[in-house]
Amino acid sequence: MSDLYTDPIGTAELAAAKLGELTGKAQHHVALVMGSGWIDAADSLGTPTHEFDATALPGFLPPTVVGHGGKIRSYDLQGPHAFVRTTTEHPDFTAVRTPCTTGSMPLPS
């Protein structure tokens, strides 16, 4: 098992594999990290195909700020798949590294 602080890339690779397992999607094309105040924007993407606690992915920590959602969502956007994290840590490198491991382009809020 990788450690987020001693092997961040290995941890991201484990998290990407778990993301694929939980969603059935080998790749997420777009990554959105939605901090507090942005959950309504994530809701505007429609109904996620999958939603689960961020802590289900290796290296993802629970939210520590009131109002952060603490969820991972996966959306099918009429072809491309979107990875959406409804919480952030500062800095939130794992939320960017993990979807990048699957080939996505991160778009932080």
Side-chain angles (χ1 to χ4, degrees):
M1 172 169 281
S2 293
D3 176 69
L4 174 62
Y5 300 103
T6 60
D7 186 10
I9 300 302
T11 302
E13 289 170 346
L14 289 173
K18 184 68 172 179
L19 178 64
E21 176 186 320
L22 292 171
T23 64
K25 299 171 183 170
Q27 181 179 27
H28 284 78
H29 304 93
V30 176
L32 301 166
V33 179
M34 312 297 272
S36 58
W38 286 96
I39 292 175
D40 288 344
D43 290 342
S44 72
L45 293 173
T47 303
T49 57
H50 300 83
E51 180 177 77
F52 49 88
D53 290 337
T55 55
L57 299 179
F60 282 70
L61 305 174
T64 57
V65 176
V66 174
H68 285 196
K71 300 289 183 186
I72 299 292
R73 296 179 182 177
S74 179
Y75 291 87
D76 183 354
L77 303 177
Q78 299 177 355
H81 302 301
F83 165 97
V84 177
R85 177 149 189 204
T86 63
T87 186
T88 59
E89 292 102 31
H90 302 285
D92 194 9
F93 300 119
T94 307
V96 174
R97 285 186 184 118
T98 296
C100 287
T101 300
T102 73
S104 72
M105 299 295 295
L107 300 171
S109 62

